[in-house]
Amino acid sequence: MRATLRSTLAAVGLTLSLATFAFAQGGVDVCGPTDNRTNVPVWEPVITDVGEFSDEPPQGDGLVIFASFAIDNSEADCANADAERLYSFSARSNDPQLEGLAVNLRGNVQFANAICHFRGFFKNEAVAGLHQGWAETYFGAVDKYEIVSSGRYCLERSPTK
């Protein structure tokens, strides 16, 4: 009886630990080596001294990513912004023929202590054309519960931020 109770409590503890870990990852666990679910890239850009992203986000029409970064409110102005506001940031382009990449995001932003925290799932949409040597990309927030409840997604790695 005690062995059964002990093993049941251990299983419950493991389940709670895994659930806590998954919640920390935005509610989705990390992909396993033989996982058949859709792999969600994690993008945690560094903001450079000149106020741009150090790297491009993963892109592809319809690609779902998990983004996490924080930027000073003086750079993004999210304190009193509408929830549907579009934020535009610059990123260094991987293409040497381009001046840069304009990264446009809508949603999944919270304000705290003079910092704008962007964290959550976003879906990429293609933006056609160039403007003065700059390419553009757009990411719209995806409801976390839609991602979690579908059971179709897993993260490429655990977010560090």
Side-chain angles (χ1 to χ4, degrees), residues 24-98:
Q25 313 312 315
V28 175
D29 55 344
V30 176
C31 299
T34 59
D35 222 310
N36 292 330
R37 294 176 292 173
T38 301
N39 186 320
V40 174
V42 174
W43 183 54
E44 299 175 293
V46 172
I47 310 299
T48 68
D49 292 339
V50 293
E52 67 181 7
F53 294 135
S54 58
D55 63 336
E56 287 186 11
Q59 298 171 67
D61 195 21
L63 176 70
V64 173
I65 70 166
F66 184 85
S68 180
F69 65 93
I71 189 165
D72 192 274
N73 185 55
S74 64
E75 303 264 343
D77 192 27
C78 72
N80 297 311
D82 183 293
E84 290 299 309
R85 177 170 175 211
L86 181 69
Y87 295 89
S88 189
F89 303 99
S90 60
R92 292 184 184 158
S93 176
N94 294 335
D95 184 342
Q97 297 179 351
L98 293 175

Side-chain angles (χ1 to χ4, degrees), residues 58-65 122-126 137-140:
Q59 298 171 67
D61 195 21
L63 176 70
V64 173
I65 70 166
F122 293 86
K123 184 182 276 187
N124 188 221
E125 293 179 25
T137 190
Y138 170 79
F139 291 90

